[in-house]
């Protein structure tokens, strides 16, 4: 029964995180486009593109990252999809499904903006 539950959770995550077209998050300061590049059905995708453009300066950054999930009770299986994570040296970019853009360098918060997803 646990296996069936994990398989069902994996199938739901696959639909949410892999095989979807590029998505764009528009915040007050940035336009962020997320492009998963994993085959449909792959739950934890380690090939996700990020392109962030400052709406103020026009400067852009392109990064590669992965999907971000909670872990199921077994501590191994990905459960709830949270969003995506990207690294640029010691700077971590997180784009959450809830529409938040969070950029941190170590413990220092550089950006925390909420936006709207656009097709």
């Amino acid at each position: 029964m646990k296996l069936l539950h994990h398989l069902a959770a994996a199938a739901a995550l696959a639909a949410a995180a892999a095989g979807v077209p590029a998505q764009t998050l528009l915040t007050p300061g940035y336009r962020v486009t997320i492009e998963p590049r994993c085959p449909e059905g792959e739950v934890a995708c380690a090939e996700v593109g990020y392109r962030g453009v400052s709406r103020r300066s026009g400067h852009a950054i392109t990064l590669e990252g992965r999907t971000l999930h909670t872990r199921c009770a077994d501590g191994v299986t990905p459960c709830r999809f949270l969003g995506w994570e990207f690294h640029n040296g010691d700077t971590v970019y997180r784009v959450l499904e809830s529409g938040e853009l969070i950029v941190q360098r170590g413990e220092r918060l550089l950006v925390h903006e909420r936006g709207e997803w656009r097709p």
Side-chain angles (χ1 to χ4, degrees):
M1 188 58 97
K2 276 187 176 179
L3 178 60
L4 184 59
H5 174 72
H6 291 302
L7 289 175
L13 288 173
V20 294
Q23 303 172 59
T24 299
L25 177 65
L26 198 57
T27 73
Y30 300 90
R31 173 184 294 274
V32 176
T33 301
I34 304 294
E35 184 179 357
R37 297 190 191 107
C38 290
E40 189 169 345
E42 191 169 319
V43 176
C45 181
E47 297 178 25
V48 181
Y50 170 104
R51 178 165 169 79
V53 180
S54 168
R55 295 177 71 189
R56 293 177 189 102
S57 70
H59 289 104
I61 186 168
T62 302
L63 303 168
E64 293 293 320
R66 64 180 181 87
T67 56
L68 193 58
H69 306 271
T70 62
R71 295 286 175 197
C72 292
D74 65 7
V76 177
T77 308
C79 265
R80 190 169 63 89
F81 175 72
L82 299 173
W84 302 268
E85 184 173 270
F86 308 87
H87 292 260
N88 182 23
D90 62 348
T91 304
V92 179
Y93 295 70
R94 288 186 186 92
V95 181
L96 304 182
E97 184 180 41
S98 63
E100 289 178 79
L101 170 63
I102 302 167
V103 182
Q104 288 181 271
R105 181 172 297 131
E107 297 295 318
R108 186 170 171 228
L109 182 64
L110 303 176
V111 175
H112 188 190
E113 294 187 1
R114 184 174 302 273
E116 293 184 12
W117 288 104
R118 302 287 169 97

